Amino acid sequence: MIRIFEKNIAEFKNDTLISEIRKSVSEKCKNAAKKPFGIYQLSVPTGGGKTLSSLRFALYHAQEHGMKRIIYVIPYLSIIDQTAGNIRDILNLSQENDIVFEHHSNVVEPEDEKSSEIRKLSANRWDSPIIITTMVQFLESVMSSKGGKLRKFAAMADSIIIFDEIQTLPIKALHCFNEAVTFLSKILKSTILLCSATQPTLESTQRKNLLLASPPELIECAKEFSGLKRVMVVPEIDKNHKETADFILCKANENGNCLAIVNTKISAFDIYSALKNDAQGYRVVHLSTSMCPAHRIEVYDEVKKCLKNKEKIICVSTQLIEAGVDISFACVVRAMAGLDSIAQAAGRCNRNGESNEPKMVYTFQIRDENLDKLNDIRTGKETTANIIASNSNNEDLLSELCMNRFYQQYFSNVDGQMDYPIEGNSSIYAMLSENKYGKGNYQNRTGEKFAHYIPTAFYTADQNFSVIANNTRSVVVSFGDAESMIAEYKQQPQGIVTKEKLRIIKKLQKFSVSLYEWQFKVLTEQHALSTLDEETGITILGSNHYSIEIGVTMQSNPELFFIQ
């Protein structure tokens, strides 16, 4: 793999400042591969080539120390395909190969130890040399009490585990994450790489339980980026959805295109709907997790093509586009959120230095959005608003000074949430350590003190742990080749595990969408859901409930959603 990687990377052009910087970062990561096992931070500004640079480090580090595999943990399902594609390309691998395994979603995840053999087999490729998975899968595997998921934990030993965009780590899971990766590093001899353009100070939280290497920085690259000023963040006054749409159109007219990133799917839908009617002459597209991965990739490709051809385009998206997506607009509008999120959104603006002058990234609070169930975003937004209000010296909001100030305030505001608190005045962290609450319950129930050495409540912690607060269920939607693949699956012999069945199930992952329980209930009442078969338990959503513009809809005839 190293031989193929080096041959291909040598063919990259170095004819721009940003490409020269990426080459320097990559060379430094290669040279860092001789470092010992440990937990390292890779802090590289957006567009700095983190994916291939971290892969280069991992390949050489694995060779140096005789390690088993490389695991990429990324924040969102939406960028699995992009990351996997980049890795396959640099290693000359075809779409179907035995080197890179993409673990897309819980469509194929066994529900329990008694799950059907076919579903277990479709998720058992965690012995592959390179695995690409999500933070949700990582956390729910290391915190599980089930053998199937814990086998993935075992596969993480003697590995290089690369966490991309580590700033997206859910606050409630922070202390548990620190314990897990410290265990992986110190006990299971894995190397952990925490990648971010806005490196959060995870080691300085209340418990200080992230045992970083000394020094923690994998490489130093501040000098390379010191003279590169691609964007400027400009705070604006609050706006409602209609005013936001008008503002986006105004900035698109000034720049030729615009990316708007908002905090909720409802905001994205409302603003998109307004722009569909008002933005004459523009191609207006929508992106959210209501759309399956295959659909989103199609939209990404369309957006990239429009930008390359300098066509007039406006993209309205939720935050899924702001981390790891290789795309560059001339202007970005970001609904106010955490300063780390705003910095990530800024990474989609003038990404490759297309303009010698800094381009504008506008941020403001949207009055219509409801963040009651999005505590991390709401707290981040409030912290950013305080930073902006107190920034009397007009310090660059993307500077290291402002970012450190943001994390200091943000973490102090959420100290009590980092142990993953649950009902009953306890927490997941407590259950997996001294478990005083559990021992107290034991004494109340039996009248005797808990006399055993290990009080850890593995099963109860697993039952209470979920990265996504609301329980969701995945459904396969009618998009692209999904219907023909479902028909093909039904032609296979029943009750028998075949390679063809496993191939189809793996492909169906790209046509899945996660629904909240209330959505699942509403669609069930409308007879919109069916089951592929008892063997898999995979749920199929009827074609009348999937729109080519916005994805899953809660009513049929989605073409009636938009009046032209």
Side-chain angles (χ1 to χ4, degrees):
M1 284 192 231
I2 287 173
R3 180 179 55 79
I4 296 168
F5 183 100
E6 291 298 335
K7 178 179 179 296
N8 288 334
I9 205 168
E11 296 174 1
F12 283 15
K13 292 182 179 179
N14 297 304
D15 53 355
T16 64
L17 176 59
I18 190 68
S19 62
E20 289 177 6
I21 291 172
R22 288 169 182 161
K23 180 180 179 182
S24 174
V25 170
S26 179
E27 288 292 335
K28 287 184 176 182
C29 284
K30 174 187 173 182
N31 295 335
K34 293 185 181 295
K35 291 190 175 189
F37 303 115
I39 304 175
Y40 297 97
Q41 296 171 325
L42 178 59
S43 304
V44 178
T46 53
K50 286 192 297 291
T51 300
L52 294 185
S53 294
S54 59
L55 176 61
R56 198 178 193 186
F57 162 78
L59 288 170
Y60 279 95
H61 192 68
Q63 184 186 54
E64 178 74 18
H65 297 288
M67 302 173 85
K68 291 179 181 176
R69 62 184 55 87
I70 299 165
I71 302 172
Y72 269 90
V73 182
I74 61 179
Y76 306 122
L77 280 169
S78 55
I79 56 174
I80 273 192
D81 290 278
Q82 177 183 285
T83 303
N86 290 339
I87 293 172
R88 286 197 305 268
D89 289 347
I90 199 70
L91 296 176
N92 291 351
L93 298 171
S94 64
Q95 183 81 29
E96 300 292 331
N97 67 84
D98 294 323
I99 302 296
V100 178
F101 174 53
E102 306 162 45
H103 196 147
H104 274 268
S105 71
N106 61 356
V107 167
V108 296
E109 184 69 17
E111 296 296 329
D112 52 49
E113 289 300 286
K114 297 180 181 179
S115 291
S116 67
E117 188 66 18
I118 191 166
R119 295 188 76 190
K120 287 183 180 180
L121 286 172
S122 62
N124 75 348
R125 287 188 53 201
W126 272 62
D127 57 352
S128 301
I130 300 176
I131 298 164
I132 306 172
T133 189
T134 63
M135 181 64 85
V136 170
Q137 287 287 347
F138 172 81
L139 288 171
E140 294 191 349
S141 295
V142 300
M143 301 300 293
S144 179
S145 64
K146 300 182 180 70
K149 288 188 175 181
L150 289 174
R151 277 188 283 276
K152 293 182 206 153
F153 198 177
M156 296 176 198
D158 301 315
S159 300
I160 299 102
I161 309 175
I162 301 167
F163 291 90
D164 196 16
E165 312 294 358
I166 188 60
Q167 79 284 347
T168 62
L169 175 68
I171 283 296
K172 63 183 179 181
L174 202 151
H175 284 152
C176 291
F177 172 85
N178 284 355
E179 292 284 351
V181 296
T182 298
F183 177 82
L184 281 162
S185 173
K186 299 298 181 183
I187 308 300
L188 299 185
K189 295 183 179 179
S190 291
T191 286
I192 311 298
L193 194 57
L194 308 177
C195 300
S196 178
T198 55
Q199 195 71 235
T201 52
L202 304 183
E203 72 282 3
S204 62
T205 57
Q206 193 177 30
R207 292 196 178 277
K208 295 180 172 54
N209 60 341
L210 181 67
L211 303 185
L212 292 172
S214 181
E217 297 83 10
L218 185 73
I219 63 170
E220 291 285 354
C221 60
K223 287 182 181 179
E224 282 89 338
F225 290 91
S226 60
L228 190 65
K229 184 65 177 173
R230 290 172 287 177
V231 296
M232 181 71 71
V233 176
V234 181
E236 287 279 335
I237 61 170
D238 299 0
K239 295 171 177 51
N240 60 28
H241 282 159
K242 182 62 174 69
E243 291 165 343
T244 300
D246 292 341
F247 183 83
I248 292 165
L249 181 56
C250 174
K251 297 306 172 185
N253 286 331
E254 291 176 9
N255 294 276
N257 61 64
C258 186
L259 168 64
I261 304 175
V262 295
N263 294 319
T264 68
K265 288 191 274 191
I266 292 174
S267 290
F269 173 76
D270 286 349
I271 293 166
Y272 169 75
S273 301
L275 285 165
K276 280 285 291 183
N277 294 327
D278 297 341
Q280 302 301 320
Y282 280 89
R283 176 77 177 98
V284 182
V285 299
H286 165 276
L287 277 168
S288 79
T289 51
S290 292
M291 302 156 72
C292 67
H295 192 173
R296 295 197 296 261
I297 290 167
E298 199 171 278
V299 175
Y300 288 144
D301 290 343
E302 181 183 0
V303 170
K304 287 179 180 179
K305 183 179 177 182
C306 286
L307 292 172
K308 183 180 179 181
N309 296 335
K310 300 190 184 307
E311 297 173 24
K312 298 170 74 173
I313 184 167
I314 297 173
C315 177
V316 182
S317 176
T318 55
Q319 66 191 78
L320 60 85
I321 200 173
E322 73 185 14
V325 178
D326 187 8
I327 208 161
S328 183
F329 281 80
C331 176
V332 168
V333 173
R334 179 58 167 100
M336 192 170 290
L339 194 56
D340 54 338
S341 292
I342 294 170
Q344 291 297 324
R348 310 318 123 193
C349 184
N350 197 24
R351 183 177 178 85
N352 301 309
E354 294 89 350
S355 169
N356 292 328
E357 296 297 318
K359 301 299 287 186
M360 299 300 109
V361 175
Y362 300 94
T363 186
F364 48 84
Q365 300 192 52
I366 297 179
R367 293 194 293 271
D368 299 350
E369 70 179 2
N370 182 354
L371 301 179
D372 287 349
K373 294 182 179 180
L374 300 170
N375 291 331
D376 288 2
I377 294 176
R378 187 180 69 246
T379 306
K381 180 178 106 170
E382 291 168 354
T383 306
T384 300
N386 289 336
I387 297 291
I388 292 172
S390 61
N391 189 23
S392 56
N393 294 329
N394 290 322
E395 179 76 27
D396 179 3
L397 290 171
L398 299 182
S399 67
E400 186 177 352
L401 177 66
C402 281
M403 199 59 65
N404 288 341
R405 194 179 296 159
F406 166 77
Y407 278 122
Q408 185 179 8
Q409 289 188 26
Y410 180 59
F411 284 160
S412 68
N413 289 335
V414 294
D415 260 349
Q417 300 172 35
M418 295 182 185
D419 279 355
Y420 201 118
I422 59 173
E423 291 182 13
N425 198 30
S426 186
S427 69
I428 300 291
Y429 189 93
M431 285 181 179
L432 297 176
S433 49
E434 292 182 278
N435 198 15
K436 291 179 181 178
Y437 182 79
K439 288 191 286 189
N441 282 343
Y442 177 87
Q443 186 168 357
N444 291 338
R445 203 167 56 246
T446 65
E448 300 176 1
K449 284 189 175 182
F450 186 82
H452 305 288
Y453 185 72
I454 299 177
T456 314
F458 291 112
Y459 178 79
T460 310
D462 176 19
Q463 292 298 105
N464 284 274
F465 187 88
S466 175
V467 179
I468 302 171
N470 300 80
N471 289 329
T472 60
R473 294 200 232 176
S474 289
V475 298
V476 172
V477 301
S478 297
F479 179 83
D481 298 331
E483 289 185 350
S484 63
M485 282 192 283
I486 290 168
E488 188 181 347
Y489 183 92
K490 290 180 177 178
Q491 296 299 313
Q492 294 292 308
Q494 294 184 0
I496 301 172
V497 177
T498 67
K499 287 184 178 179
E500 193 63 18
K501 281 185 177 181
L502 295 175
R503 181 189 67 81
I504 295 169
I505 288 175
K506 181 185 176 184
K507 286 194 171 184
L508 284 176
Q509 293 178 91
K510 295 182 181 181
F511 300 94
S512 65
V513 174
S514 292
L515 302 179
Y516 291 111
E517 287 292 345
W518 70 267
Q519 292 175 302
F520 206 89
K521 181 180 178 182
V522 169
L523 291 168
T524 300
E525 291 170 353
Q526 296 182 39
H527 306 289
L529 301 175
S530 60
T531 303
L532 179 61
D533 63 3
E534 291 184 2
E535 246 183 338
T536 63
I538 291 174
T539 304
I540 310 295
L541 178 66
S543 59
N544 285 342
H545 288 268
Y546 196 80
S547 161
I548 199 66
E549 294 189 84
I550 62 167
V552 173
T553 68
M554 300 310 294
Q555 63 186 61
S556 58
N557 300 318
E559 65 272 15
L560 300 179
F561 264 58
F562 300 105
I563 300 172
Q564 301 299 326

